[in-house]
Amino acid sequence: MAQQTSGLLFVILLSCTAGIQLDGNGYTGVLFAINPSIPEDPALLQRIKNMIQDASVVLYGAAEDRFYFKEVTILVPANWTKGNYSRAKTETYEKANVIIDEPNKSYGDEPYTLQYGQCGDQGQYIHLTPDFLLDDHFIKVYGKRGKVFVHEWGHLRWGLYDEYSEEQPFYRSSDGKGTLEATRCSKGIKGRFCVMSGNTCSPCKNDPTTGLPTSDCTFLPSQDTSVKESIMSFQSLDHVTKFCSDETHNAEAPNRQNQMCGNRAALDVILKSSVDAGTPQLSTPISKQNTTIKFVQRKRRVVCLTLDVSGSMRGPRLALLRQAASLFLRTIVEDTALVGIVQFSSSPSILEHLTVIDGEQSREKLVRALPTNAGGSTYICQGIYRGFEVLKGDDGSTEGDELVLLTDGEATDNLNGCLGRVINSGARVHTIALGPSADTKLQEFANLTDGIFHKSADSIDSNALIDAFASLATSDGNLTQQTIQLESAGKRTTDWFNGTFSVDWTVGKDTVITIVYEASMPKVHITSPSGESFNQSHFNHDTQIRTLSLKVQGIAKTGEWHYSLLNERTSAQSMAITVTSRAASAEVPPITVRAHMNQKSADGSKAMVVYAAVTQKGLPVIRANVTATLESDTGHKEELPLLDNGAGADAFRHDGIYSRYFTRMKSGRYSLKVRVQNQGSAMLSAHKHSGVLYIPGYVENGTVVLNPPKPPVSQQPVEVGSFTRTATGESFVVELPPGSTGPPAFPPSKITDLRATLEGENITITWTAPGESYDQGTASRYHIGWSEDLALLRSNFSDSHLVDPLELKPQEVGSPEQYSFLPHNLNMTNGTTIFIAVVAENADSLRSDISNIEQVVKFIPAPPPPVEEESTNVVAIAVGVSVAVLAIASAVGGFIYWKKR
């Protein structure tokens, strides 16, 4: 029996995962990937290379001599043939940090970053288009490409947010005069307020009720200045080369950076709260020559299933292995792939050498080669070595290949002895832990080779092992060729097992319905949306593996499908159904779901977050019903409805990212499964993520110089109709301190959507209710603080003017809250600014972090000019209006991007 690593060492090893790393002060492991829809173009590769080298020098200066790009890899499509590209190892399209792809319908060619974590959390990927890289007119619009990339790197690596605001481009400052300002950082950037009409710039007009410029007004920044901040606001200005620091940060501006990061400066977040916090400065300058760039290419997929057939796998576990592996071979792995099979116990053996997937015959040949007997010890390293032998069958190398390792027990041999060889193989090792006793080092093997780790229950009705194999579908970026899971459900019963799934307009090709059972074939009844019926006689029945499969001919009918499975035995048995499909058309990408946790391991000191991104090639799908199931190998199970409401764990409302805190964790290895359903209310949204700002023009030498107009993009939500999806995320590990029965008590989550309005001298605030424990349960009370001093409210909430609304009983998490109050002992005059924040408290007297800070400004319009005497009645009316108390509200650290419902 191999010696197991301690919990502390296990967590440390998990931190050394593949991906972006900081080697000294230089970033390595940065991966670009080009979508296969992009034609091969050497000029594009050169532009990418130039951008990276320029960005490295910009980054070094912007972050006070701390960071640069040391090693970058660019993954080119498999269909590119003109270049001399090295062989890819563990680099895959799904793991890319930067994607070069066709324009997103909501953005056009505008660069953007998909980020949906909290301030300081890393984003998902940067999106750039070929035209942005090749067409030089974009330099005038967005700035030099190196600086644009550094702007996006701020989102991706450090969890910074934009310091401009398209939703609230103007606000009035707290200087006592209510001076009109453009939303920006720093305030040192000057410019002109303009209403653009053709090639002319006319003075802006102010809304008489708010005192802010009307919606047709825009701010044109001046190039005639030496101000250097900030890249997160106006990276397009020639002189801007720095991030805002504490000395230059505009904490009042109503932008996302202030809302998400507690009004902190970008540089402060980088140096104190990001993944790179504490990095020292370099003593020597860097140049473009310090950056190494290589181009790699991945050809066809090469996979070896390496399967445990030790004694503990006898009986139901071996049957379950055969069912799950057969689904992978028949429906998941793509045509043209090479697949081999190895089994191991006391010794390994090759069941099938690499076989080309080129039709049903080759797939069935592999299914027939699956192991049928089990017995002996668990020599995992020997199985891995034999799997590597099979992978070398095509070209003598394992680099870039995949090994799928499934085991249910602890290794008889010492896994530490083969870890180095596994890492040096250049292969990705996906590991599946079947049951509660599988070796604890499996996750480490997957993480250190950029593979995927899955924990699976050993029961048919959980469908967990089939889900694990189904999740091994891969994609080169062409989503129309990817296998999509529409349904995954199981039940142990003596009676009927009923359910539904939907085929929507984006899928329907190669639709396969697979049913597995424990003992005897159930009676099957399936009805299509058109009323066509299918029973067990229509299915291919594999009696040896106890599997029924039906491939729907042509394109499956869109709409709701109903299924009923009847166990005709007198005793209970387990049954499960899986439905997979592909895009109905090569021109229409399918709706996809990606599920994941915010971290791969936890010790219980802080809550985890579960995410599900529901999109159609980057376009958010909103208003769907999304539920996550988290189940551990110790039997603990949680079902969490995920929310896209812009509160709690969810950063932004209606961005297609559904999330929730996971607080009630226990020690164990957890699986993650997400089910998405929609009965007609879901829509494709035009929500925009973080990205660079389009500038319509500049002021140069006192003259307005206009840029080309921004091409129109899709803005209107589109209904998507009924659909269902199931996605399995990578498994994760919770290891609580010894003797602990659960994690510590958590406070309510931070309120991030506080809004405020001023009517007369009465302030009304609204927000979404947090929970008792982050976004679970119900909080106990609220504390409201206000001050004319923003810095005081930020740094010492308890010293502000406190309002304790004892009569306001917090509602259930996610409910809308509203409260009105009158600031006492305050003489409001024109320009008076009040900052407001809210803190929630639970029954354990634990308080949330201070909310985003809102501000309201007293605004009294100037009296109208005198008029002739005969207009006395009109003047009286006008004066009456002019002395009315009017007010504006602008979100300091907040912005409105979707109307609350």
Side-chain angles (χ1 to χ4, degrees):
M1 199 66 64
Q3 182 179 2
Q4 302 304 309
T5 58
S6 69
L8 177 60
L9 177 59
F10 183 63
V11 174
I12 292 174
L13 285 168
L14 286 180
S15 68
C16 304
T17 58
I20 300 173
Q21 302 290 324
L22 193 59
D23 182 7
N25 294 75
Y27 289 111
T28 63
V30 181
L31 178 62
F32 283 61
I34 302 174
N35 192 278
S37 64
I38 306 303
E40 187 168 7
D41 186 353
L44 177 62
L45 297 181
Q46 186 60 49
R47 287 296 181 90
I48 297 173
K49 183 176 179 180
N50 293 345
M51 179 186 69
I52 295 168
Q53 291 174 332
D54 292 342
S56 185
V57 176
V58 173
L59 182 67
Y60 177 77
E64 297 187 342
D65 305 344
R66 280 182 171 83
F67 309 106
Y68 68 99
F69 295 111
K70 185 175 183 179
E71 295 177 3
V72 177
T73 300
I74 300 171
L75 179 65
V76 304
N79 57 5
W80 284 24
T81 59
K82 299 176 184 177
N84 184 20
Y85 311 118
S86 301
R87 178 172 177 163
K89 295 182 181 180
T90 60
E91 300 91 352
T92 62
Y93 191 91
E94 299 102 316
K95 298 283 186 178
N97 312 115
V98 185
I99 291 174
I100 314 297
D101 196 1
E102 297 170 335
N104 181 298
K105 291 181 180 179
S106 291
Y107 290 82
D109 289 298
E110 182 177 301
Y112 70 91
T113 300
L114 177 61
Q115 65 173 150
Y116 43 77
Q118 301 301 314
C119 178
D121 292 346
Q122 297 184 71
Q124 303 303 306
Y125 61 81
I126 297 170
H127 184 283
L128 304 174
T129 68
D131 282 349
F132 168 76
L133 291 159
L134 294 170
D135 190 340
D136 286 344
H137 99 268
F138 287 113
I139 295 176
K140 187 70 174 175
V141 175
Y142 297 117
K144 295 179 180 178
R145 296 185 184 95
K147 281 204 291 181
V148 170
F149 189 74
V150 171
H151 175 105
E152 299 305 326
W153 187 260
H155 297 308
L156 179 77
R157 180 65 179 177
W158 299 319
L160 303 180
Y161 282 86
D162 291 318
E163 292 175 334
Y164 65 85
S165 174
E166 292 182 303
E167 292 77 16
Q168 282 189 260
F170 305 101
Y171 70 102
R172 287 192 176 272
S173 73
S174 62
D175 58 0
K177 305 174 184 178
T179 302
L180 194 61
E181 297 282 0
T183 301
R184 68 203 188 284
C185 190
S186 69
K187 288 173 69 173
I189 294 177
K190 305 303 180 183
R192 187 178 298 181
F193 293 178
C194 279
V195 174
M196 309 305 302
S197 178
N199 294 325
T200 63
C201 168
S202 304
C204 292
K205 296 181 180 180
N206 292 347
D207 187 308
T209 61
T210 67
L212 295 176
T214 53
S215 60
D216 57 354
C217 182
T218 188
F219 175 71
L220 302 184
S222 175
Q223 292 279 17
D224 308 327
T225 180
S226 59
V227 175
K228 296 182 178 180
E229 298 89 2
S230 165
I231 283 178
M232 299 308 295
S233 183
F234 286 115
Q235 81 293 323
S236 59
L237 298 181
D238 294 339
H239 49 82
V240 168
T241 57
K242 300 283 187 180
F243 293 106
C244 266
S245 64
D246 288 341
E247 292 74 25
T248 58
H249 180 58
N250 180 4
E252 291 186 357
N255 54 39
R256 291 188 181 183
Q257 173 66 19
N258 283 328
Q259 179 203 16
M260 298 298 297
C261 297
N263 306 79
R264 294 170 61 195
L267 192 61
D268 184 60
V269 173
I270 295 170
L271 301 184
K272 297 179 182 178
S273 303
S274 76
V275 66
D276 300 323
T279 303
Q281 290 177 303
L282 273 171
S283 57
T284 56
I286 60 99
S287 67
K288 295 180 180 181
Q289 283 65 46
N290 292 92
T291 303
T292 301
I293 300 172
K294 63 177 180 179
F295 300 92
V296 301
Q297 187 177 47
R298 179 174 296 279
K299 294 296 185 180
R300 65 178 170 182
R301 191 180 189 187
V302 182
V303 186
C304 180
L305 303 184
T306 305
L307 309 173
D308 182 357
V309 291
S310 60
S312 57
M313 287 291 295
R314 289 193 185 102
R317 286 185 177 175
L318 184 62
L320 185 59
L321 179 156
R322 286 163 55 82
Q323 290 173 333
S326 67
L327 179 133
F328 174 78
L329 295 169
R330 285 171 170 151
T331 67
I332 302 300
V333 69
E334 59 275 14
D335 285 337
T336 75
L338 287 168
V339 181
I341 303 174
V342 164
Q343 68 176 14
F344 66 90
S345 55
S346 297
S347 62
S349 60
I350 298 173
L351 299 181
E352 191 67 45
H353 289 275
L354 291 180
T355 300
V356 180
I357 303 294
D358 58 3
E360 184 176 346
Q361 185 175 354
S362 58
R363 293 179 184 271
E364 289 302 317
K365 176 186 175 184
L366 288 164
V367 170
R368 295 297 155 224
L370 290 171
T372 56
N373 297 296
S377 302
T378 311
Y379 282 87
I380 294 178
C381 286
Q382 294 302 313
I384 291 173
Y385 296 156
R386 191 57 56 90
F388 285 166
E389 180 183 327
V390 170
L391 291 176
K392 291 179 180 178
D394 63 329
D395 59 4
S397 173
T398 59
E399 288 188 348
D401 297 340
E402 297 171 71
L403 186 142
V404 179
L405 173 66
L406 182 148
T407 181
D408 73 336
E410 295 181 344
T412 306
D413 46 1
N414 185 354
L415 292 185
N416 287 325
C418 62
L419 181 58
R421 184 170 172 182
V422 169
I423 295 172
N424 293 330
S425 70
R428 299 178 69 201
V429 179
H430 310 301
T431 56
I432 301 174
L434 180 60
S437 302
D439 203 289
T440 58
K441 290 186 74 67
L442 292 178
Q443 188 182 23
E444 183 185 337
F445 273 56
N447 278 277
L448 293 177
T449 61
D450 218 11
I452 299 171
F453 167 67
H454 284 293
K455 163 263 166 187
S456 171
D458 52 0
S459 61
I460 289 177
D461 52 286
S462 72
N463 219 28
L465 189 58
I466 283 180
D467 291 337
F469 272 96
S471 74
L472 297 177
T474 188
S475 174
D476 61 357
N478 183 359
L479 297 176
T480 63
Q481 297 300 314
Q482 184 173 328
T483 301
I484 306 296
Q485 198 169 3
L486 307 185
E487 173 71 329
S488 169
K491 186 177 182 180
R492 183 171 183 81
T493 181
T494 58
D495 202 352
W496 287 96
F497 168 32
N498 303 313
T500 62
F501 64 91
S502 293
V503 175
D504 58 278
W505 60 283
T506 69
V507 295
K509 183 181 178 182
D510 296 336
T511 301
V512 177
I513 303 171
T514 302
I515 298 169
V516 297
Y517 58 89
E518 182 181 0
S520 63
M521 182 180 67
K523 184 177 181 179
V524 178
H525 183 73
I526 294 179
T527 306
S528 76
S530 63
E532 185 178 7
S533 296
F534 304 88
N535 58 42
Q536 60 270 25
S537 66
H538 295 95
F539 284 70
N540 292 323
H541 186 200
D542 189 327
T543 57
Q544 294 181 4
I545 300 182
R546 300 171 192 164
T547 300
L548 294 157
S549 60
L550 170 67
K551 184 172 183 179
V552 179
Q553 297 300 309
I555 304 298
K557 297 288 186 181
T558 58
E560 196 169 82
W561 292 62
H562 298 265
Y563 61 85
S564 296
L565 312 180
L566 175 63
N567 176 20
E568 296 186 298
R569 292 166 52 89
T570 56
S571 58
Q573 75 163 337
S574 296
M575 301 175 286
I577 184 170
T578 303
V579 182
T580 59
S581 190
R582 289 190 171 93
S585 167
E587 284 71 45
V588 180
I591 294 171
T592 60
V593 179
R594 176 176 177 257
H596 69 101
M597 304 298 294
N598 68 324
Q599 56 198 70
K600 295 184 179 181
S601 64
D603 61 7
S605 60
K606 61 180 182 179
M608 302 183 76
V609 182
V610 56
Y611 292 108
V614 187
T615 61
Q616 187 192 26
K617 197 175 183 181
L619 292 178
V621 178
I622 64 173
R623 298 177 183 169
N625 295 318
V626 183
T627 303
T629 302
L630 304 94
E631 187 169 6
S632 78
D633 52 10
T634 60
H636 179 225
K637 184 177 181 179
E638 287 277 334
E639 287 201 354
L640 294 174
L642 305 186
L643 305 176
D644 184 16
N645 63 350
D650 192 65
F652 303 112
R653 179 177 170 86
H654 284 168
D655 64 349
I657 310 300
Y658 300 77
S659 58
R660 204 73 182 267
Y661 283 107
F662 176 42
T663 59
R664 293 187 286 266
M665 61 188 80
K666 299 180 180 180
S667 291
R669 290 183 287 197
Y670 282 83
S671 61
L672 168 62
K673 182 174 181 177
V674 168
R675 179 173 176 81
V676 182
Q677 293 179 295
N678 172 58
Q679 301 302 321
S681 62
M683 307 182 78
L684 289 174
S685 168
H687 174 91
K688 294 184 64 176
H689 299 285
S690 302
V692 295
L693 177 66
Y694 165 77
I695 304 292
Y698 305 95
V699 178
E700 298 181 6
N701 298 319
T703 302
V704 171
V705 179
L706 298 181
N707 286 326
K710 183 178 181 179
V713 294
S714 174
Q715 297 290 336
Q716 297 300 320
V718 178
E719 292 186 5
V720 297
S722 297
F723 71 92
T724 56
R725 294 290 187 274
T726 298
T728 301
E730 191 167 355
S731 296
F732 61 96
V733 174
V734 175
E735 191 165 345
L736 301 179
S740 173
T741 58
F746 295 116
S749 58
K750 172 184 174 179
I751 295 167
T752 57
D753 62 348
L754 183 68
R755 301 290 179 263
T757 57
L758 181 64
E759 297 179 5
E761 296 188 357
N762 198 59
I763 297 174
T764 298
I765 54 176
T766 60
W767 66 95
T768 301
E772 178 185 34
S773 178
Y774 285 113
D775 56 9
Q776 315 286 318
T778 304
S780 297
R781 64 180 301 185
Y782 295 117
H783 304 275
I784 300 170
W786 65 270
S787 176
E788 293 182 86
D789 185 341
L790 172 60
L792 181 146
L793 189 61
R794 287 178 56 199
S795 62
N796 201 341
F797 178 84
S798 60
D799 283 349
S800 67
H801 300 282
L802 296 179
V803 178
D804 285 325
L806 298 178
E807 71 279 11
L808 177 62
K809 184 177 177 60
Q811 300 184 73
E812 184 181 0
V813 62
S815 302
E817 301 276 32
Q818 179 174 311
Y819 187 75
S820 298
F821 66 96
L822 184 68
H824 294 290
N825 302 318
L826 178 65
N827 180 28
M828 286 194 188
T829 60
N830 196 25
T832 297
T833 302
I834 302 173
F835 300 96
I836 309 105
V838 178
V839 169
E841 183 178 325
N842 66 16
D844 295 322
S845 299
L846 296 175
R847 294 189 176 191
S848 69
D849 290 338
I850 184 173
S851 71
N852 64 293
I853 298 176
E854 277 283 286
Q855 81 174 46
V856 292
V857 181
K858 181 85 167 189
F859 171 69
I860 302 175
V867 294
E868 297 296 329
E869 185 174 352
E870 56 266 27
S871 302
T872 301
N873 292 336
V874 177
V875 172
I877 295 172
V879 171
V881 172
S882 72
V883 299
V885 178
L886 301 173
I888 64 168
S890 62
V892 174
F895 65 100
I896 299 170
Y897 50 89
W898 196 278
K899 183 178 180 182
K900 291 285 183 183
R901 289 185 176 271

